[in-house]
Amino acid sequence: MARKNETSEKEEIATLEGSVEGIIFFNEENGYTILDMCLEKGEIVTAVGIMPYVGEGETLKVYGKWVHNPKYGRQFSVSSYEKVMPADEVSILRYLSSGTIKGIGPKTAQKIVDLYGEETFDVLENHPEWLSEISGITAKKALEIGENFQKSAGMRSTMMFFREYFGAALTMKIYKRFGAKSVEIVKNNPYILCEEIDGIGFEKADSMAQKLGFSYDGLDRIASGIVYMMKYKIAQNGHVCLPENELVISASKLLEVSEENIKIALTYLHKINKIRAVTYDGVRFIYDKESYDAEKYIARKLDLLDKVCASVDASDMSAFISKEEAKSGIAYAPLQKKAIASSLESGVMILTGGPGTGKTTVVRALIEIFDSMGFDVALAAPTGRAAKRMSEATSREAKTIHRLLEMDFSESVYGKFNRDENNLLDEEVIIVDEASMIDQHLMYSLLKAIKPGARLIIIGDSDQLPSVGAGNILRDLIEGKRFATIKLNEIFRQASESLIVTNAHAINRGEMPDLSAKDKDFFFLPRANNTEIANTVADLCKNRLPKAYGVRATANLQVISPSRKGEAGTENLNIILQNMLNSEQFGKKQYSFKQVVFRQGDRVMQTKNNYDIEWKKDDGTVGSGIFNGDIGFIFDIDFKNQFMEIVFDDRNVKYDFSYLEELEHAYAITVHKSQGSEYPIVIIPAYRAPEMLLMRNMLYTAVTRAQNMVIIVGEREVVQKMVDNDRQSLRYTGLKRLFEA
């Protein structure tokens, strides 16, 4: 029988109590369950939500709200639940017979209940060895059954304890990390949650700690807050380290304690080896230990690779280059020849340059030359789209760095790379493209897997935006001046005919691009305000471009905006474009998640790396991993089994509803999200976004994402402001200083 529980200010929470009649669906990984419950008066209802380790015959008390499923009608959406353990012999027998406790089937359950009756649960929890008195149960099996029962009991106590603080999904993560001792561990130190559990920040852990009576200015709280700042808050801004004075001020404001208390906590953290301090140019910088160790390792390993790699003789280099010129029919430019030669004589070589300067031509030549030398070559890039572009340009397989390193998600919530210092890559040459996108963690992981003696060739455009993650790897390596670096600057004839290319280089030089052309591949449509800009962008996507170039030609056009916010930002444009390009229609399936409507046919983007999602290609190839920035479209929605079928390029994915917080619409995306990708047609709203986003490298990066056409819609003054603003995002790192030493 339903009754009202205590209500929040936002919505009333209902409570149901009843027995589980049947499990319709269960996802073992995340605990998502669909089940039928029988309420007090015999009413059968369907409940859906995170309910791990629930079995038929159990009595549940579930909290949540009634929702209407478009296909299956009225359902109860469970936000949290608790188990009401059966007390009589009939209920106990039904519970054990359901298979909830591993090792106990219907026959074994009958034997146990016949012998112990209403004391069965006490025996299972406290005296499992007694089960060996029953025929068919060995002493070993008896202990295993006891462990499985305690596991179920631990899950039950965990769900009940954390119900007040977190939803079922986060509680499931906590239990998977800490097991049956979850409650004990967290009660002892709630702040461990923000260090160990993805999705629980310091603020949530701190709120819980205060309710549990922890001191606001206690050392544990302050130390955990500082570590969280270093690992997440500071890293979100791209920093690897921070000047101590800035850290003290920021931490004092965030934690609302005195600067003196922050300094005491820093001393403590340094003592227990959780932070490191380094002085550069008289300024003391603070690192968290992992970032410090990673930065030192990157410098040492690159230095090792450069020193131990065998160099090719100068006369052989000339012969290799001449032979490749004859074979390809290409006369390489002087800087291209120098880049090829540097790759042959150096263990680490950096190749940079803007669009149309011939970087891909150099890569093709290197592949052929290294092949002729009998070297195995690996091609890699940070994102799936960048890897795909690399494959198309070289006619060779290119992998994401994650795939090259064989990311494995099976043993850890966070995943790990199977290729590392204990399982080195086999290839003698590693060529990595789009290196501006590589953050510190990914570079560290890649270098750990490269064997000494192998060559590393790093390719990228240092004038593009830096990585989303912490670090400024490509720029630091160039400015460190330790390794052979070639910057291509000649625009070749075919590329020079493209206004996209010439305008991109003009922007990079701080010159206003040509906005007057009417018959080239670069257009400017002046609009007076943000409303006009947004409306024109929508009209281009819906009407003008399909009419002029055909629907197929414009199927992969991409709107790229400097910001998420504002009338011409991605959030508002995605709403407008979804309604115009994929409106609600009879028979078209849709599913609402946190006030966002996902509709069959929608263009969507993955917003974080998820190594656990399985995919399948049309040729039968299977694998796992959908990554930040991957774009696809919703092919179908399965309400019964709670997943969407999404096609990401050539990969088909059954995308569980529990992952929807990692998905957003991609009719319009930010410049950062576009990195590493190219699109036939790019539309750029030039509107009055926040000043910090109106930078030259933001415009340059957006323009260089286009293959065939760029259309800038907006105010000339905004374009001018972006061209004039050569301010680089400040990133505190120490990598280049390690090469200067």
Side-chain angles (χ1 to χ4, degrees), residues 329-347:
I330 298 173
Y332 300 123
L335 279 177
Q336 289 180 313
K337 290 182 179 180
K338 188 174 181 181
I340 296 169
S342 293
S343 298
L344 295 173
E345 67 183 358
S346 307

Side-chain angles (χ1 to χ4, degrees), residues 199-272:
I200 299 181
F202 175 78
E203 292 82 358
K204 287 183 179 179
D206 194 32
S207 175
M208 180 180 187
Q210 301 311 307
K211 291 178 181 178
L212 292 174
F214 280 72
S215 171
Y216 202 69
D217 58 358
L219 186 59
D220 282 344
R221 175 180 183 270
I222 299 172
S224 292
I226 292 172
V227 170
Y228 178 72
M229 276 189 65
M230 296 297 298
K231 285 187 175 181
Y232 301 104
K233 293 288 187 181
I234 291 171
Q236 283 175 2
N237 293 321
H239 304 305
V240 172
C241 55
L242 205 65
E244 185 174 29
N245 287 342
E246 288 191 28
L247 176 59
V248 169
I249 293 170
S250 298
S252 176
K253 289 180 179 177
L254 175 70
L255 303 177
E256 298 179 342
V257 297
S258 70
E259 293 183 8
E260 186 60 34
N261 277 340
I262 299 297
K263 292 176 182 177
I264 292 171
L266 286 173
T267 301
Y268 165 72
L269 287 168
H270 196 277
K271 184 177 180 180
I272 64 173

Side-chain angles (χ1 to χ4, degrees), residues 137-203:
I137 300 181
T138 64
K140 181 181 178 182
K141 184 178 179 181
L143 294 177
E144 288 176 350
I145 290 173
E147 288 177 4
N148 291 329
F149 182 81
Q150 289 170 6
K151 179 180 179 181
S152 178
M155 182 70 240
R156 184 172 68 252
S157 64
T158 300
M159 296 298 291
M160 291 180 66
F161 176 77
F162 288 104
R163 180 168 62 85
E164 180 184 349
Y165 307 103
F166 309 116
L170 281 178
T171 301
M172 183 69 178
K173 287 185 179 181
I174 294 169
Y175 185 77
K176 289 184 75 173
R177 174 64 182 86
F178 299 120
K181 293 186 177 180
S182 296
V183 174
E184 178 186 344
I185 289 171
V186 175
K187 274 186 175 180
N188 185 55
N189 179 18
Y191 296 103
I192 196 172
L193 293 174
C194 64
E195 297 182 27
E196 299 280 349
I197 306 299
D198 183 33
I200 299 181
F202 175 78
E203 292 82 358

Side-chain angles (χ1 to χ4, degrees), residues 317-536:
M317 276 188 249
S318 297
F320 278 129
I321 293 172
S322 297
K323 184 178 178 181
E324 188 55 36
E325 282 184 316
K327 181 180 177 182
S328 65
I330 298 173
Y332 300 123
L335 279 177
Q336 289 180 313
K337 290 182 179 180
K338 188 174 181 181
I340 296 169
S342 293
S343 298
L344 295 173
E345 67 183 358
S346 307
V348 177
M349 197 281 285
I350 301 164
L351 177 64
T352 185
T357 56
K359 297 192 296 294
T360 301
T361 299
V362 173
V363 173
R364 290 196 200 103
L366 288 173
I367 292 171
E368 294 297 325
I369 291 171
F370 286 127
D371 277 351
S372 70
M373 296 170 69
F375 289 167
D376 287 334
V377 179
L379 305 182
T383 68
R385 283 184 167 253
K388 184 178 180 181
R389 283 176 49 219
M390 197 178 188
S391 294
E392 291 169 348
T394 61
S395 299
R396 294 282 289 265
E397 181 187 21
K399 301 177 180 179
T400 62
I401 297 175
H402 294 85
R403 186 175 163 218
L404 179 70
L405 300 181
E406 298 176 10
M407 169 59 77
D408 180 11
F409 202 75
S410 62
E411 296 183 15
S412 165
V413 175
Y414 306 103
K416 71 180 187 70
F417 292 116
N418 283 329
R419 292 288 186 168
D420 55 20
E421 62 269 37
N422 299 314
N423 185 22
L424 297 168
L425 293 168
D426 299 319
E427 291 84 359
E428 290 90 359
V429 181
I430 314 294
I431 303 177
V432 182
D433 199 7
E434 293 287 356
S436 63
M437 300 177 65
I438 300 177
D439 61 23
Q440 186 199 55
H441 173 70
L442 192 56
M443 189 66 173
Y444 169 68
S445 301
L446 174 63
L447 289 172
K448 283 203 299 182
I450 299 177
K451 62 185 179 184
R455 284 176 168 79
L456 175 62
I457 299 167
I458 300 169
I459 302 166
D461 187 344
S462 60
D463 294 316
Q464 289 188 21
L465 292 172
S467 60
V468 174
N472 205 356
I473 298 294
L474 181 59
R475 187 174 287 272
D476 278 351
L477 293 183
I478 293 171
E479 293 181 358
K481 299 179 181 179
R482 165 66 181 80
F483 307 103
T485 301
I486 305 298
K487 182 168 185 176
L488 303 179
N489 50 32
E490 179 183 350
I491 304 175
F492 291 96
R493 185 180 63 81
Q494 186 175 359
S496 68
E497 296 173 359
S498 166
L499 201 54
I500 295 175
V501 172
T502 56
N503 271 347
H505 284 272
I507 291 167
N508 204 27
R509 293 191 299 269
E511 300 170 5
M512 192 68 173
D514 180 0
L515 303 180
S516 62
K518 303 298 181 185
D519 57 350
K520 295 268 189 175
D521 55 5
F522 195 108
F523 301 92
F524 175 67
L525 302 179
R527 294 295 183 269
N529 55 60
N530 291 354
T531 301
E532 290 185 11
I533 294 170
N535 290 339
T536 301

